[in-house]
């Protein structure tokens, strides 16, 4: 699969989601993009800390994220 196919499949999938599901999907994709950008900047030798509950890279120190995860 190339980048163009990925985007087309993503758009089709998003069209089938409710407003709440779309918001959650967007937050998840945002987390994946941030993690990928961080990986590129830090190099492959650095491992990102992830939430043990949901696997998100958007870890909130001493708090909860929007989806209720506790790091």
């Amino acid at each position: 699969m190339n980048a163009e196919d990925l985007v087309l499949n993503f758009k089709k999938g998003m069209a089938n989601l409710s407003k709440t599901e779309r918001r959650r999907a967007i937050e998840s994709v945002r987390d994946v993009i941030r993690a990928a950008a961080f990986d590129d900047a830090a190099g492959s030798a650095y491992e990102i800390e992830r939430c043990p509950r949901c696997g998100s890279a958007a870890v909130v120190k001493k708090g909860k994220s929007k989806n209720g995860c506790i790091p």
Side-chain angles (χ1 to χ4, degrees), residues 28-56:
S28 295
V29 170
R30 189 177 298 137
D31 289 347
V32 169
I33 291 169
R34 284 182 185 148
F38 188 81
D39 283 346
D40 289 348
S44 60
Y46 186 83
E47 187 159 331
I48 296 174
E49 183 178 356
R50 297 194 179 273
C51 173
R53 181 172 155 220
C54 69
S56 173

Side-chain angles (χ1 to χ4, degrees), residues 3-69:
E4 188 174 318
D5 292 339
L6 178 66
V7 171
L8 289 174
N9 287 332
F10 180 74
K11 286 181 179 181
K12 288 177 185 176
M14 291 292 282
N16 296 324
L17 300 176
S18 70
K19 186 176 181 178
T20 301
E21 290 172 325
R22 269 194 309 273
R23 188 176 328 112
R24 287 183 185 153
I26 290 167
E27 288 173 5
S28 295
V29 170
R30 189 177 298 137
D31 289 347
V32 169
I33 291 169
R34 284 182 185 148
F38 188 81
D39 283 346
D40 289 348
S44 60
Y46 186 83
E47 187 159 331
I48 296 174
E49 183 178 356
R50 297 194 179 273
C51 173
R53 181 172 155 220
C54 69
S56 173
V59 177
V60 180
K61 185 176 181 180
K62 295 184 180 179
K64 294 182 179 180
S65 68
K66 290 180 184 178
N67 65 4
C69 285

